[in-house]
Amino acid sequence: MYGRKAYQLVKEFTNSESGQLTGFNDDLFAQVIEDCKEHVLKLQSLLRKMQEEGSDNQTTKNADHFGALMHHLALVRNKRCLMAYMYNRAEVVQNLGWTVDLVLPVEIEEKLSVSEKEYFKSHSKTLKSYMSDLDIDLAVDMVPPKDPYIKVRVLEEIGNVVLSDQSANLTRFAILFLRRTDAEQYISQGKMEELTG
C-alpha cells in the first residue's frame, strides 16, 4: 500500500514521549526516499505515455490518468510525512539548544543524525552569540527565583572553576550553595543536581 512506510515513520515519532527523541531511523527514512523515487519514475513514465498517445490531460480520464494521479498523490503524501518527521525532530533539537550547553550528552547525541548534530551546533552557536551580544542569558528560568542561591550536589568531578562571585572547587559529591545562574549550566549538563529542602 502506498505511503505505509512514511506513515510508520511519522507514527514512530508520535509514539515517543513529547519533547523526547528516539534514534533517527535511517533505514525507514531511506526506504521512504526510495519509494518517492519509484513514484517519480512511474509518474514520469505515465505522463510520457499519455503525451505520446496525444491524450488531453483535462478531458481524457483513462487508467493512465488515474495511475498518474495515484503516484502523484502518494509522492506528495510521502514528502509531507518526511517533512513532518524532520520538522518535529528539528523542533526538539532547537529546544535542546535552550536547555543543553554546546556539548550534547552522549545518550542524546546517539539519537541524532549527522545533519541534526550540525543543526544543533549551528543553532546553539547562534543562540550563544545572540545572548553574548545582548549580554544576557535568555536560557534562565522565565519565573524569577525566590532566592538567587540554590543548594547543589556535584555529580561529576569538575575541578576548580571561577564563578560570577567566587571561585570554587567542584569535587564529586560536594554539596554547595551557588548562584542559580552559575549552577544551571552544570545542572543542564548532568554534572550537578539541585537539592530541594
Side-chain angles (χ1 to χ4, degrees):
M1 182 174 162
Y2 295 142
R4 181 166 294 195
K5 291 176 184 171
Y7 170 76
Q8 288 173 349
L9 197 61
V10 173
K11 188 82 171 161
E12 178 182 297
F13 182 82
T14 57
N15 285 341
S16 65
E17 288 183 44
S18 179
Q20 299 293 317
L21 287 176
T22 57
F24 189 84
N25 196 335
D26 286 315
D27 294 334
L28 193 54
F29 196 86
Q31 289 175 21
V32 175
I33 297 286
E34 283 303 312
D35 280 355
C36 288
K37 289 177 182 176
E38 287 177 25
H39 286 301
V40 166
L41 292 174
K42 290 177 183 175
L43 178 62
Q44 289 173 339
S45 169
L46 286 170
L47 291 175
R48 207 173 304 112
K49 180 181 175 189
M50 289 167 61
Q51 278 181 336
E52 288 170 0
E53 291 174 354
S55 303
D56 181 17
N57 292 344
Q58 302 299 322
T59 57
T60 307
K61 306 291 187 210
N62 59 16
D64 291 337
H65 172 82
F66 291 112
L69 180 63
M70 287 298 299
H71 288 292
H72 171 72
L73 293 175
L75 179 63
V76 169
R77 179 188 167 100
N78 282 352
K79 282 184 175 183
R80 288 181 66 187
C81 289
L82 287 171
M83 290 179 69
Y85 183 73
M86 291 304 296
Y87 175 80
N88 286 308
R89 288 183 64 87
E91 249 185 353
V92 174
V93 171
Q94 271 184 345
N95 290 336
L96 285 173
W98 290 97
T99 57
V100 177
D101 208 18
L102 285 174
V103 180
L104 279 170
V106 177
E107 62 272 4
I108 294 175
E109 191 172 359
E110 291 172 344
K111 297 176 182 179
L112 300 179
S113 68
V114 174
S115 59
E116 288 173 328
K117 290 175 191 173
E118 290 173 15
Y119 178 67
F120 172 79
K121 287 177 186 172
S122 172
H123 181 69
S124 294
K125 284 179 184 174
T126 303
L127 275 177
K128 273 225 179 282
S129 171
Y130 181 70
M131 288 189 280
S132 68
D133 288 349
L134 292 177
D135 194 29
I136 189 169
D137 187 2
L138 298 173
V140 177
D141 292 335
M142 296 303 289
V143 178
K146 293 179 183 175
D147 188 3
Y149 289 90
I150 59 173
K151 187 177 182 180
V152 294
R153 177 184 296 129
V154 180
L155 300 175
E156 291 181 21
E157 185 72 30
I158 299 171
N160 289 321
V161 294
V162 177
L163 304 172
S164 60
D165 61 347
Q166 64 183 346
S167 65
N169 184 11
L170 304 178
T171 58
R172 190 170 183 195
F173 301 123
I175 296 176
L176 307 161
F177 278 101
L178 298 176
R179 283 184 169 267
R180 181 178 295 276
T181 53
D182 291 334
E184 280 181 338
Q185 67 175 342
Y186 299 111
I187 292 171
S188 68
Q189 293 172 4
K191 295 180 179 180
M192 277 185 189
E193 66 179 350
E194 182 177 357
L195 300 174
T196 55

